[in-house]
Amino acid sequence: MEIKIAEDVYWVGAIDWDVRTFHGYTYTTHRGTTYNAYLVLDEKVALVDTVNVGFGQEMLKRIGKLSDPTQIDYLVANHGEMDHSGAIPEVMKTAPQAKLVCSKKGEQTLRQYFGDQGWDITVVGTGDEIKLGQKTLRFIEAPMLHWPDSMFTYIPQVALLLPNDAFGQHLATSQRFADEVDECLVLGEAAKYYANILWPFSSLVIKKIKEIERMGLEIATIAPSHGLTWRNPRQIIEAYLRWAQGGAEPRVVVVYETMWGSTRHIAHALVEGIQQEGVEVSLYALPTSDRSDVIADLLEARGILVGSSVHNNDMLLNMAAFLEDLKGLKPIGKIGAAFGSYGWGSRAIPHMEEKLRQAGVELVEADLSSQFAPDEDELEHYIEFGQDFARKVKER
Ligand code: FEO
C-alpha cells in the first residue's frame, strides 16, 4: 500500500521492528524504529534519504511500486550517519546517473564512509534549490542537529519539512502519522529521543526554529527520518522549544547504584523526605534500570540526586557510565546532589559532584555520606535533606 505524505510525496522507508539498541548500546529502542525515506514524484524524481544497511531492498521495492527506481534523478542525503546513508550504494548502483545531493560536511562524511565511487555529488547550502518540475527542493543547513553535516529539505509547494533526525522518535508501528497513535506514546518517544540525542544542542535547536520562523516558511507537515510524521507540526515544535529552554516540572529523579544495600537505604530515605513535601519523585537503581529511560525521565524533572557505594575508592561503574553520559548530554536548569555509603574512605561523592557540575547541574551542598550503613540519626538527616531538596525544587 502506498503511503502518501503530501501531494506526490511518498514514504518509501523501512520498519525495523527488531532493533533494541541504538548508537551502540547507548540508547534502548524498546519499540524498534523506522528509517524513513521519501520519494518525490515530478518531472524529475527525487529520493530524500535512504535506510539502514540491510533495508535497501525493502526500500527499493517500495520505490518500485511508485516509479522506476533506475530513473531516480536526485538522491538527497540530509545526513551521512549509516542509518540513513547505509543504502546509498544500492540506490546509486540502481540509478548510477542520479545526482547525490548533500551538504559540504555531508560530502566529506559520504566520501569517508564509502570511498571514491565516482558518484556525481552536488554540494548545497542554505537557500539552494533544485527544481524538479512543479516542485522545488529547498535546503536548510542544520549543523549539529545532530551532526555537523545535518541539513533539512523543504518542499514549499506542499509545505513539507524533511528534517532528518530532528523531531524523530524511535518507534516502529504500522501507522505512519503521529495523530494515528496514542499521544503519550509518541510524545514520550520523542522526549526520549530529544533527551538522549539532541539535549546537548538545545541552544542550536532554539536558534534553528527561530531561523525557520524568520524565513516565513509555511509548514503543514514535518516528516522526520525516524518514527511518525507530524501533521500538527506545532505539537512537536512547541515540545522542542519547551525541552530546549529547560522547561521542567517540580519533580525529582533519584538514581543510585549499591553494593550491599546501604546506599539503597539512603536513597529510600531521600525519597521519603521528598514525598513528605508532596513532590513527585522517581527512584531508579542501576544497572537494572535502563540508562536512556532514566535520562528521558530527567528531561522534564528539576532535581536529580545520584548515589553510589564505593569500588576501588570511587563510584561504582554503572554510575560512572550514567554520569559520563549525563555530562555529554548537558541537561539544562537542574539542581542536584550526590550521596552514598563507603567503607574506609572514598572519593566517590566528590567525583559524582564533579561530574554533576561538569554536566551543568547546580549543586546543593550537603554531607550525604554514611560509613558502612546509615544509623537512625543519619536516616533522619537524609529524610530532612529530601524535604529541603523538594522545597528547593518547588521554589525554582
Ligand atoms: Fe543521526 Fe538517525 O542518524
Side-chain angles (χ1 to χ4, degrees), residues 112-132:
Q112 286 181 312
Y113 265 140
F114 301 113
D116 185 6
Q117 301 264 359
W119 296 335
D120 181 358
I121 296 183
T122 301
V123 170
V124 292
T126 296
D128 288 344
E129 291 187 347
I130 292 175
K131 292 209 181 306
L132 301 177

Side-chain angles (χ1 to χ4, degrees), residues 114-156:
F114 301 113
D116 185 6
Q117 301 264 359
W119 296 335
D120 181 358
I121 296 183
T122 301
V123 170
V124 292
T126 296
D128 288 344
E129 291 187 347
I130 292 175
K131 292 209 181 306
L132 301 177
Q134 300 298 310
K135 291 187 181 55
T136 309
L137 304 179
R138 189 181 298 169
F139 305 101
I140 303 164
E141 289 167 276
M144 300 319 296
L145 301 179
H146 68 122
W147 270 20
D149 69 320
S150 300
M151 68 174 192
F152 300 170
T153 298
Y154 174 67
I155 307 177

Side-chain angles (χ1 to χ4, degrees), residues 67-83:
S67 177
D68 180 353
T70 67
Q71 300 304 308
I72 291 169
D73 296 287
Y74 296 100
L75 170 52
V76 177
N78 276 323
H79 172 38
E81 197 166 6
M82 206 45 85
D83 50 331

Side-chain angles (χ1 to χ4, degrees), residues 216-254:
L217 306 185
E218 183 197 349
I219 297 173
T221 310
I222 295 179
S225 59
H226 295 291
L228 302 173
T229 287
W230 305 93
R231 288 189 285 208
N232 172 9
R234 286 317 305 175
Q235 186 183 22
I236 190 63
I237 289 172
E238 277 159 24
Y240 261 51
L241 285 172
R242 184 171 72 251
W243 296 329
Q245 287 159 354
E249 306 293 325
R251 205 155 56 70
V252 179
V253 169
V254 181

Side-chain angles (χ1 to χ4, degrees), residues 10 12 37-40 45-50 59-60 63 72-77 91 137:
Y10 295 89
V12 290
Y38 300 97
L39 191 71
V40 188
V45 172
L47 177 64
V48 181
D49 291 319
T50 74
M59 179 188 66
L60 287 167
I63 293 171
I72 291 169
D73 296 287
Y74 296 100
L75 170 52
V76 177
V91 175
L137 304 179

Side-chain angles (χ1 to χ4, degrees), residues 58-351:
E58 182 179 336
M59 179 188 66
L60 287 167
K61 209 167 142 192
R62 284 187 209 281
I63 293 171
K65 288 182 180 162
L66 294 157
S67 177
D68 180 353
T70 67
Q71 300 304 308
I72 291 169
D73 296 287
Y74 296 100
L75 170 52
V76 177
N78 276 323
H79 172 38
E81 197 166 6
M82 206 45 85
D83 50 331
H84 309 293
S85 67
I88 286 178
E90 276 164 281
V91 175
M92 294 306 288
K93 200 171 164 193
T94 305
Q97 78 292 338
K99 285 186 194 305
L100 182 54
V101 181
C102 57
S103 67
K104 193 166 170 44
K105 290 269 195 231
E107 181 187 26
Q108 185 187 344
T109 309
L110 297 178
R111 284 197 192 285
Q112 286 181 312
Y113 265 140
F114 301 113
D116 185 6
Q117 301 264 359
W119 296 335
D120 181 358
I121 296 183
T122 301
V123 170
V124 292
T126 296
D128 288 344
E129 291 187 347
I130 292 175
K131 292 209 181 306
L132 301 177
Q134 300 298 310
K135 291 187 181 55
T136 309
L137 304 179
R138 189 181 298 169
F139 305 101
I140 303 164
E141 289 167 276
M144 300 319 296
L145 301 179
H146 68 122
W147 270 20
D149 69 320
S150 300
M151 68 174 192
F152 300 170
T153 298
Y154 174 67
I155 307 177
Q157 293 80 6
V158 287
L160 173 64
L161 185 68
L162 304 171
N164 197 265
D165 278 328
F167 308 114
Q169 333 93 48
H170 285 309
L171 178 58
T173 79
S174 56
Q175 309 310 110
R176 297 275 57 81
F177 296 95
D179 51 90
E180 293 175 332
V181 302
D182 179 79
E183 188 179 14
C184 291
L185 172 69
V186 66
L187 278 175
E189 289 296 340
K192 179 172 178 178
Y193 191 97
Y194 187 92
N196 283 277
I197 296 177
L198 288 155
W199 213 348
F201 313 115
S202 290
S203 62
L204 298 173
V205 167
I206 296 169
K207 248 170 105 174
K208 189 53 59 182
I209 290 174
K210 301 284 172 211
E211 180 190 329
I212 288 174
E213 284 173 352
R214 273 199 309 278
M215 287 175 178
L217 306 185
E218 183 197 349
I219 297 173
T221 310
I222 295 179
S225 59
H226 295 291
L228 302 173
T229 287
W230 305 93
R231 288 189 285 208
N232 172 9
R234 286 317 305 175
Q235 186 183 22
I236 190 63
I237 289 172
E238 277 159 24
Y240 261 51
L241 285 172
R242 184 171 72 251
W243 296 329
Q245 287 159 354
E249 306 293 325
R251 205 155 56 70
V252 179
V253 169
V254 181
V255 196
Y256 73 95
E257 186 171 13
T258 192
M259 194 181 280
W260 295 109
S262 296
T263 298
R264 179 185 299 118
H265 285 145
I266 300 173
H268 280 261
L270 293 166
V271 166
E272 191 179 329
I274 294 165
Q275 283 178 306
Q276 285 173 3
E277 277 297 312
V279 166
E280 191 184 337
V281 55
S282 309
L283 177 64
Y284 296 101
L286 297 176
T288 44
S289 299
D290 179 283
R291 193 172 71 224
S292 54
D293 286 338
V294 179
I295 296 283
D297 195 18
L298 184 62
L299 181 64
E300 295 198 58
R302 286 187 200 150
I304 176 168
L305 298 174
V306 297
S308 176
S309 38
V310 177
H311 173 67
N312 291 336
N313 203 20
D314 213 325
M315 71 189 92
L316 294 175
L317 299 179
N318 293 289
M319 178 51 69
F322 173 80
L323 288 174
E324 196 58 27
D325 201 7
L326 198 69
K327 189 179 86 176
L329 292 170
K330 299 185 178 69
I332 303 155
K334 311 293 178 202
I335 60 170
F339 63 92
S341 69
Y342 63 95
W344 299 107
S346 164
R347 294 195 302 257
I349 288 183
H351 282 182

